[in-house]
Amino acid sequence: MCYEIADGETPHTGWEAHRMREDLRVIKEELHATSVQIWGSGVERLSATAREAAERGLAVWLQPRLGDCPEREILEHLAAAGEEAERLRRQGARVHLSVGCEFWLYVPGIVPGDDALERVRNMLDGNYDREKTQRRLDRFIPRAARTGRSVFDGRLTYAAAAPEDKVDWSLFDIVSLDYYAYHRRRADYVRDLEPFRRWGKPVAIAEFGCCTYKGAARDGGMGWYSVDFEKNPPEIKGDLRRSEREQARYLSHSLAVFEALGLYAAMAFSFVSPDAPHRPERRYDMDMASYGLVKSIWKTRDKPTPAWHWERKEGFHAVAAHFAHAAGRARP
């Protein structure tokens, strides 16, 4: 399961220790997950969340993700988080360190754009040089790998966008992919993933998921783009219709395929999106464009109070059922 730590867009939707502890309890006890990928920024938050997860018996995949900052700051943040991961590993926890995620999106200067949203738009519009982008990635990814190796002695990885990203996987112990494809035939998944297996290393799905509207499985990793952020307040584009069932079916289908392929790990994206609340008005139901397995419920329409909460979606129950069944098969 993927679990985000963030500042939040409002004073009440950022990381809070008591909410984190309850979320991890649910991830372990109700979702029956065995691993959690903790991603975001803030070394203290990363460390506290990783320790709580380890104490609950979850394997930890720590992924510091500091975006829109100079490269030096990104690498310093990675090193500090990696040191925390190494301390936890030496205490006996099961810890993996990911040096980051889709650097073309989060690291300034690889793709033109002042922020991640502008970079995505430039890529969609073709306003970038593919060869220059790859050269810049080929320069920065090894720097991140060296930084990770300098502070962490466990298994190292990087979350690449599949199948597009080209990475020298000899730098890492695990091939990790953000993979949002949907195919009806298992052979098509094999076709997508086979090139990554040829490195002779474990293959993990660092992220997979689906938003909560009809057609979201087809839109995959771009489902979030169904929000018109130019409007104030933001609203859902077009005539999309909410469908928790679409999300649940996608998650169940993907988990079954990944399990059949014998992948090293697969982590559903994501547990909760506090800043994307569910609202009765379809036009403003931001949860439709959320990958969360739970839906955020604000007490007021426009601003969450400290008492905002989340509720389980159909996708939550689908993942819980799959994990519980898998755990039952794994018992002697």
Side-chain angles (χ1 to χ4, degrees), residues 111-265:
V111 170
D114 292 335
D115 55 31
L117 182 57
E118 189 172 338
R119 290 175 205 124
V120 168
R121 287 172 176 161
N122 281 331
M123 292 195 76
L124 290 175
D125 294 340
N127 297 328
Y128 76 108
D129 187 307
R130 187 179 298 272
E131 291 185 1
K132 285 184 179 179
T133 295
Q134 189 61 51
R135 286 199 299 269
R136 292 163 181 163
L137 284 170
D138 291 343
R139 177 188 58 82
F140 188 75
I141 291 175
R143 291 183 66 195
R146 288 193 297 270
T147 300
R149 294 280 186 207
S150 71
V151 295
F152 185 72
D153 290 334
R155 285 187 153 184
L156 196 73
T157 191
Y158 163 71
E164 297 85 2
D165 280 7
K166 297 179 181 178
V167 177
D168 178 4
W169 290 108
S170 68
L171 299 167
F172 301 101
D173 303 303
I174 299 169
V175 176
S176 292
L177 308 170
D178 294 347
Y179 184 70
Y180 289 86
Y182 176 77
H183 303 295
R184 293 186 181 277
R185 299 188 311 146
R186 188 168 298 172
D188 293 325
Y189 290 95
V190 174
R191 178 204 64 214
D192 281 354
L193 299 175
E194 186 59 31
F196 301 99
R197 289 175 174 268
R198 292 172 186 162
W199 288 87
K201 298 187 176 188
V203 176
I205 304 301
E207 293 180 14
F208 73 98
C210 174
C211 289
T212 318
Y213 59 86
K214 292 182 179 179
R218 178 191 63 246
D219 293 342
M222 290 301 295
W224 61 273
Y225 207 60
S226 58
V227 175
D228 187 345
F229 293 102
E230 298 296 326
K231 294 189 176 179
N232 188 18
E235 61 182 63
I236 299 295
K237 298 175 183 177
D239 191 34
L240 296 182
R241 300 290 172 174
R242 182 178 181 85
S243 177
E244 292 190 13
R245 180 165 296 181
E246 172 110 358
Q247 183 191 46
R249 286 175 173 169
Y250 174 91
L251 291 165
S252 294
H253 174 78
S254 298
L255 282 169
V257 169
F258 298 151
E259 188 174 70
L261 294 179
L263 301 184
Y264 182 74

